[in-house]
Each structure stands twice: as C-alpha cells, then as structure tokens.
Amino acid sequence: MLDKKTLFSAVQPSGVPTIGNYVGAINNFVKLQDDYNCIYSIADLHCLTVRQNPAELRQATLGLLALYIACGIDPEKCIMFVQSHVHEHAELTWVLNTITYPGELNRMTQFKDKSRSHADNVNMGLMDYPVLMASDILLYGTSVVPVGADQKQHIELTRDLAIRFNSRYSDTFIVPEGIIPKYGAKIMSLADPTKKMSKSDENLNAFISLYDDTDTIIRKFKRAVTDSDTKIYFDPENKAGISNLLTIYSVFAGVSIDEAVRQFEGKGYGDFKIKVGEAVAEGLKPITEKRLELMKNKDYLNKVMIDGAEKASRIARKTLSKVYRKVGLYRAE
Ligand code: ATP
Ligand code: LTN
C-alpha cells in the first residue's frame, strides 16, 4: 500500500455520464485501481460553474457514486468521495488563486468553449475551474491523473502551479503527470464526428448515455453519422466517424482496434453500426443492473461516501496545513 504512487481523478455529476466518460475515464479508473493508491472524486463543486437544477444535482451525485461502484471501482481498494465534503478543496483553491494569472485562465480552451455555450452565465467560477481542479489533484500528493484528452491543458496548468508554488515557497507539491489513453481519449459525437461527445449536447442522438436502454443504444448507433465510402478501416483524420465507432467497439467488445478492423473487413456500414450498438448494449447491461440495485441501497452509498470523505480529509488536512504554514498564515498552537 505504502510504496504505491497516488492516483487522483474525478468526474462531474452534471447530467448523465456518456460512453465518452466511460471510455476516456471511468473504465481506466477500474483498470488502474490495483497499481496505485486511487482516489476518485465526484466533482460537485465544479458543476456549480454552469447552472444546475439543485434537486437533480443531488440525485446525480448519488447516482455517480453508484455508477463508479457498478463499473467496478472497489470501495475496499479506493477512496471515493464527494468533493464538497472535503472543504480543503475550496481552501487550497483560494491560495492557488493568488499565484495564478487571469491570462492563464482565459486562454483555456474549455473556458472559451463553455463561455460560448453558456453565454448568459460566464461567471468567475467558470474561469477558475482549472484552479479548483489543480487543488483537487495537489491536495493528495498525486503522481498520476487519468483523464480524457480534453483535460490535458488543465493538467498542464496544475503542473505549472505546483512548480510555481514549490519554487516560491520551497518543495511542497508533487508535480503530477496526466495519463491519457492511446485510444478512446476523445470519443466523438455520433451526430458530428468532428466534435467531442458531450453529455450536455442538445442533440440527444449525439451521445450514448450510460443510462440508455438497449433499443435506444442501437437506434442511436444506426443513425451515427459516417462518411459515404464503404470500407471499414481505422483512420481518425479521414474517417472520423468509422474510426470513432471502431474505438468504441474495441473497448466494449474487449478486442484491439486491429482485431475490430479484421472482424468487419468486407462488411457494410449498416451491419457494422448494429454490431457496435449490440456490443455497447451488452457491455452496459451488467453495469446498469448493478447500478439500479445499488441505488436502492442509499444507506450503503452514504456510508461509502462518508468513509471516503473521512479518509480523503485526513490527507487533505495535512497538505493544507503545510501550505498555510509555508505561505505565512499564523497558526495558534
Ligand atoms: P461536459 O461534456 O458536459 O462538458 P464532461 O463529460 O467533459 O462534461 P466530466 O464529466 O467532468 O466532463 O468528464 C469526466 C472525464 O471524462 C474527464 O476525464 C474527461 O476527459 C472524460 N471525457 C469526457 N468526455 C469525453 C469524451 N468524449 N471522450 C473521452 N473522454 C471524455
Ligand atoms: N474537470 C474534469 C473533472 C475533474 C477532474 C479533477 C479530473 C475535476 N477535478 C481532478 C481529474 C482530476 C473534467 O473532466 N471535466
């Protein structure tokens, strides 16, 4: 336990997670849990940066914990907790804000995209989002952070802030590395394969939610936008739609991309899309069953999140008090 490095990651409980979140993040959380001391958070404070329905946010928070466990994250091996249950995240954010420049935040791609898609609510939290994320990571002495490709810039900022703090106040933070999967780091929209699949897409056919039923999944894959060629091969640049489907298939069928290409050699797009849909539906079935069962046991889920918050707090408290001491905040002892 002690000699393992620490891994931290999180997902926001904003809406229903998609197969993009699963392939780019949650599936890797499961795979990595034996190799690291893993800490998986439910980033509810991050969600507040865009307008939320409070009742839905509360429900989605519990739902995401159930999903983590249903996907195979083991509460005996990993710490799972809700971000707002550990107040040190907000506190470290304040300190890190004092070493972050506005120019570093307003050039972030995600900030620019979300400012466009939420033009009526461009708030300070939205701009500060990456600093809260850096705090999440740095509080735990994290060495590695598994994320999808869209979070690469935020990991870079986290590294910059860790290095900056260390050089200004002496060595305090471990400088973390991102782990971005070779395939599946950016699952694309089924409606427009040049765009990232996003759970907040207005077009419901653009994404497969992890709560979709079999018929919906197959219907959405049948409609997936591809090219007008007939050959099935992997070439994300020129055949974005088909390559996206091959990536999704390879994860859910548990085969390599090469093997997936081999299986569909000479087959038509129509057949291929149905097979991808079936593989996804098949893969999600046990997860859905387990998740629905867990959702009936709220006491258990509450216990897991309370235990997780206690364990996380113990680590976070130590880091924050070190930070407060280093920056010169007086402690009466
Ligand atoms: P939204 O799309 O609503 O902005 P999001 O799904 O990008 O939200 P999170 O729920 O916080 O935001 O994402 C959790 C994890 O899932 C992150 O590691 C992110 O990189 C990954 N992820 C999100 N979308 C995709 C995708 N389309 N392909 C691969 N990974 C993804
Ligand atoms: N911003 C991330 C979610 C997130 C996260 C983190 C990921 C919040 N805190 C810390 C890794 C480490 C996103 O994927 N949208």
Side-chain angles (χ1 to χ4, degrees):
M1 178 87 181
L2 277 178
D3 52 349
K4 284 187 192 167
K5 289 183 172 167
T6 298
L7 174 154
F8 184 98
S9 199
V11 175
Q12 302 178 79
S14 55
V16 179
T18 68
I19 55 168
N21 298 124
Y22 181 76
V23 174
I26 303 173
N27 184 37
N28 300 317
F29 297 178
V30 180
K31 286 195 202 148
L32 293 162
Q33 64 183 333
D34 292 318
D35 300 334
Y36 295 92
N37 290 322
C38 293
I39 307 178
Y40 295 122
S41 184
I42 296 171
D44 57 346
L45 293 172
H46 275 106
C47 285
L48 302 180
T49 59
V50 304
R51 214 161 276 137
Q52 300 290 337
N53 172 315
E56 283 173 13
L57 176 57
R58 269 191 289 273
Q59 192 60 19
T61 300
L62 197 70
L64 184 52
L65 178 65
L67 181 68
Y68 274 173
I69 301 172
C71 287
I73 302 178
D74 182 349
E76 301 293 324
K77 289 185 190 157
C78 307
I79 299 178
M80 281 182 268
F81 75 101
V82 178
Q83 188 186 32
S84 68
H85 296 182
V86 179
H87 56 76
E88 284 82 358
H89 291 248
E91 293 176 73
L92 181 60
T93 301
W94 179 254
V95 177
L96 293 182
N97 272 335
T98 66
I99 61 162
T100 309
Y101 308 113
E104 290 178 295
L105 298 179
N106 64 26
R107 67 158 178 262
M108 288 284 164
T109 309
Q110 182 181 292
F111 174 64
K112 288 195 274 190
D113 287 350
K114 292 210 168 171
S115 298
R116 238 172 278 129
S117 54
H118 301 272
D120 58 338
N121 185 25
V122 183
N123 60 74
M124 288 307 295
L126 192 62
M127 188 163 154
D128 207 31
Y129 179 112
V131 182
L132 177 58
M133 183 164 156
S135 303
D136 294 344
I137 297 167
L138 298 179
L139 272 175
Y140 298 96
T142 303
S143 295
V144 295
V145 188
V147 281
D150 61 326
Q151 298 301 310
K152 202 169 162 208
Q153 232 185 359
H154 294 165
I155 303 290
E156 274 309 310
L157 179 80
T158 303
R159 292 170 56 84
D160 290 346
L161 293 180
I163 293 168
R164 193 173 305 159
F165 189 97
N166 288 349
S167 72
R168 204 168 290 183
Y169 297 106
S170 85
D171 224 17
T172 308
F173 295 123
I174 292 178
V175 181
E177 311 259 353
I179 301 185
I180 295 174
K182 184 156 178 233
Y183 298 109
K186 194 171 181 188
I187 296 297
M188 309 310 272
S189 155
L190 297 186
D192 175 359
T194 62
K195 258 178 52 188
K196 186 190 95 155
M197 181 182 284
S198 165
K199 59 187 160 211
S200 43
D201 203 309
E202 278 169 17
N203 180 355
L204 298 183
N205 289 318
F207 59 88
I208 304 287
S209 114
L210 293 186
Y211 301 179
D212 281 344
D213 60 32
T214 300
D215 290 348
T216 310
I217 294 172
I218 293 179
R219 179 174 47 77
K220 286 186 182 178
F221 274 109
K222 273 191 190 160
R223 288 198 186 171
V225 171
T226 47
D227 51 59
S228 53
D229 187 17
T230 51
K231 283 220 177 72
I232 296 173
Y233 59 91
F234 191 74
D235 178 357
E237 294 261 307
N238 301 304
K239 289 181 74 75
I242 291 295
S243 304
N244 191 39
L245 296 183
L246 281 167
T247 306
I248 294 169
Y249 180 82
S250 98
V251 170
F252 283 92
V255 299
S256 66
I257 301 267
D258 285 349
E259 173 58 27
V261 172
R262 219 169 297 132
Q263 285 183 14
F264 294 106
E265 222 171 327
K267 300 253 165 44
Y269 281 7
D271 277 355
F272 172 51
K273 288 180 185 176
I274 292 173
K275 284 280 182 312
V276 180
E278 285 171 353
V280 172
E282 202 54 38
L284 291 185
K285 212 188 278 163
I287 295 176
T288 301
E289 279 167 16
K290 182 94 201 279
R291 179 176 59 79
L292 293 176
E293 200 184 299
L294 284 161
M295 283 304 278
K296 288 190 213 141
N297 198 345
K298 197 173 160 188
D299 288 347
Y300 171 72
L301 294 174
N302 282 342
K303 184 177 171 307
V304 171
M305 68 167 80
I306 290 169
D307 278 1
E310 266 171 22
K311 289 184 188 143
S313 290
R314 235 173 278 144
I315 308 170
R317 198 180 306 136
K318 280 200 192 123
T319 308
L320 187 73
S321 86
K322 198 152 116 191
V323 167
Y324 276 178
R325 191 159 39 76
K326 293 216 182 188
V327 299
L329 302 187
Y330 181 78
R331 313 273 89 192
E333 278 162 334

